[in-house]
Amino acid sequence: MPKQKITKEMVISAGFDVARQDGMEQVLVKNIAKKLGCSVQPIYSYCRNMKSLRADVMEQARLFVRQYLEEHTDSDDLFRSTGHAFVRLAKEEPNIFKMFILRPRNRISSLDELYQAETNEETAGEIASRLNISISRAKELHLNMLIYTIGIGTIFSVTSPGIPPEEIFARQETAYQAFSKNILADEE
């Protein structure tokens, strides 16, 4: 029986699977080789070093999160459904969530820069339109909810046996009401 040819894509995919199941700290050459059913040699032939392999795995995680959010958001209620999708991601894919949230973000020195790097401009426009507020106030509301959702999602992803999603969604709604009340009061 001929040996299977191991490709770089297979190595990255196996690394992603290891990270997804066991966490990024388990993305090791020996674990990837075991997953692929091969020796460590093919993995070393495709990877300059573990840092570059982990960067490729992180990129795959980022793409996974983007696709997950696209599939789990409602275009008629983009703002709320995105927040709920992040919480679902934290529950269903805690290791991917942690990788995505805890990844380094270079050249970010303000919350405004973080907002611009991490969000979709369409969401602020939708919030502004729905609440009849300025884009700048919509961005402020969106940033507040982003910070809140990342925080509560992080808590959600590290608790066991886990907080019921309904409790988390209720907290998100309470935060949304408080933040939007403040924004609307300032708009008047």
Side-chain angles (χ1 to χ4, degrees), residues 108-182:
I108 301 288
S109 59
S110 71
L111 288 174
D112 185 54
E113 288 175 1
L114 177 69
Y115 181 82
Q116 291 191 18
E118 296 290 322
T119 61
N120 178 340
E121 286 288 323
E122 292 175 19
T123 305
E126 180 185 312
I127 295 166
S129 176
R130 280 182 183 249
L131 297 179
N132 196 28
I133 59 175
S134 69
I135 290 284
S136 65
R137 298 305 281 175
K139 286 180 180 179
E140 183 179 342
L141 174 59
H142 192 198
L143 177 61
N144 286 340
M145 285 304 297
L146 180 69
I147 292 166
Y148 186 84
T149 297
I150 288 170
I152 203 161
T154 302
I155 292 166
F156 194 52
S157 72
V158 297
T159 56
S160 179
I163 301 165
E166 300 75 32
E167 185 177 347
I168 301 294
F169 295 153
R171 291 289 177 173
Q172 278 181 309
E173 188 62 31
T174 299
Y176 169 75
Q177 294 300 327
F179 290 142
S180 61
K181 182 178 178 182
N182 185 41

Side-chain angles (χ1 to χ4, degrees), residues 31-172:
N31 293 341
I32 294 169
K34 182 178 177 183
K35 181 101 177 141
L36 291 172
C38 68
S39 72
V40 297
Q41 193 281 326
I43 288 101
Y44 283 121
S45 69
Y46 288 116
C47 305
R48 292 183 312 236
N49 55 46
M50 284 307 294
K51 184 177 180 179
S52 68
L53 174 59
R54 286 192 172 129
D56 289 339
V57 169
M58 288 293 279
E59 177 59 18
Q60 190 146 346
R62 189 187 67 74
L63 295 172
F64 178 92
V65 170
R66 177 178 283 163
Q67 181 178 353
Y68 185 95
L69 293 176
E70 286 174 8
E71 292 172 0
H72 292 85
T73 54
D74 176 3
S75 60
D76 293 331
D77 191 6
L78 190 60
F79 187 49
R80 267 192 192 89
S81 66
T82 300
H84 288 184
F86 265 112
V87 169
R88 282 188 196 96
L89 176 68
K91 171 132 180 96
E92 295 170 13
E93 300 283 353
N95 289 321
I96 299 295
F97 180 82
K98 288 180 232 175
M99 288 168 52
F100 179 75
I101 295 302
L102 300 177
R103 77 185 191 282
R105 288 166 171 84
N106 299 321
R107 295 185 273 288
I108 301 288
S109 59
S110 71
L111 288 174
D112 185 54
E113 288 175 1
L114 177 69
Y115 181 82
Q116 291 191 18
E118 296 290 322
T119 61
N120 178 340
E121 286 288 323
E122 292 175 19
T123 305
E126 180 185 312
I127 295 166
S129 176
R130 280 182 183 249
L131 297 179
N132 196 28
I133 59 175
S134 69
I135 290 284
S136 65
R137 298 305 281 175
K139 286 180 180 179
E140 183 179 342
L141 174 59
H142 192 198
L143 177 61
N144 286 340
M145 285 304 297
L146 180 69
I147 292 166
Y148 186 84
T149 297
I150 288 170
I152 203 161
T154 302
I155 292 166
F156 194 52
S157 72
V158 297
T159 56
S160 179
I163 301 165
E166 300 75 32
E167 185 177 347
I168 301 294
F169 295 153
R171 291 289 177 173
Q172 278 181 309

